[in-house]
Amino acid sequence: MSMRRTTTTRRAMAAVSMTAALALALAGCGDDGGKEPGNEGSGAPSAPASPSAEDKGESQQEDTAAGENVDPDAKLAEVRGEEGLTLVVTQVKRDAGGFVTVQASIKNGGDGTRNSASWGGQEQAIVQKNPNSVAGATLVDKVGKKRYYVLRDTDARCLCTTAIAPLAPGETASIFMQFPAPPQGTTEVDFNLPTFATTSLKISG
């Protein structure tokens, strides 16, 4: 009788041990959908998603929105300046932000090196803050009888091309200037850059 009880007890203990071991094994697996954390079933950590083609396109649009892709052959006006210089205006565009951007180029057709000393205007504070610039340019709305100067920030820095290098014979410098926009009804303005003749320009946009 004693031996039977001992055998029964041993069998019961063995069954309990096996049940506990099986429960522990199942608990260790967990319910993660069959994917290990970070691996997603690929055997390696997943890489961050790269920008889509649409996103890249939007970024490129923002980068070129300032008129950097203006066709240099799109000549709207050509005026002569001093000492063989020629100013060619290629774009005059009204922008949604309430300003007008003028894109142009200056070519040295003379036989000596020319600099931009006179193009910055006569306001000393502006000239000092914007060396070798085209900050002296103006637009005149003849109908509204109002003159517009190149925009500037609170530190007197102009929204225009600065640090223009001296032009050797045959060289060309690309320039831009931004002005407050005349009223919507104004479609034509007179443009002037010191040392160059005044020319009439039609505003697009």
Side-chain angles (χ1 to χ4, degrees), residues 60-118:
Q60 288 172 358
Q61 258 186 335
E62 288 174 7
D63 292 342
T64 57
E68 295 167 358
N69 291 339
V70 175
D71 183 357
D73 297 324
K75 186 189 298 183
L76 300 181
E78 180 175 323
V79 292
R80 300 288 177 179
E82 297 176 354
E83 300 179 315
L85 293 173
T86 303
L87 171 69
V88 176
V89 180
T90 53
Q91 186 183 74
V92 184
K93 185 177 180 182
R94 186 188 298 272
D95 296 288
F99 50 86
V100 168
T101 301
V102 176
Q103 298 273 350
S105 63
I106 298 175
K107 182 176 181 178
N108 180 7
D111 54 6
T113 299
R114 311 292 183 231
N115 61 52
S116 58
S118 302

Side-chain angles (χ1 to χ4, degrees), residues 99-148:
F99 50 86
V100 168
T101 301
V102 176
Q103 298 273 350
S105 63
I106 298 175
K107 182 176 181 178
N108 180 7
D111 54 6
T113 299
R114 311 292 183 231
N115 61 52
S116 58
S118 302
W119 305 340
Q122 297 182 349
E123 292 182 63
Q124 288 306 307
I126 302 300
V127 172
Q128 290 173 6
K129 288 283 188 178
N130 307 278
N132 303 311
S133 74
V134 286
T138 59
L139 293 181
V140 175
D141 174 6
K142 290 186 293 185
V143 176
K145 298 180 180 179
K146 189 170 183 179
R147 184 185 303 271
Y148 296 90

Side-chain angles (χ1 to χ4, degrees), residues 32-48:
D32 59 359
K35 297 178 182 179
E36 294 181 12
N39 290 347
E40 302 296 326
S42 65
S46 57

Side-chain angles (χ1 to χ4, degrees), residues 15-36:
V16 170
S17 298
M18 287 178 67
T19 303
L22 182 60
L24 286 171
L26 289 172
C29 291
D31 186 11
D32 59 359
K35 297 178 182 179
E36 294 181 12

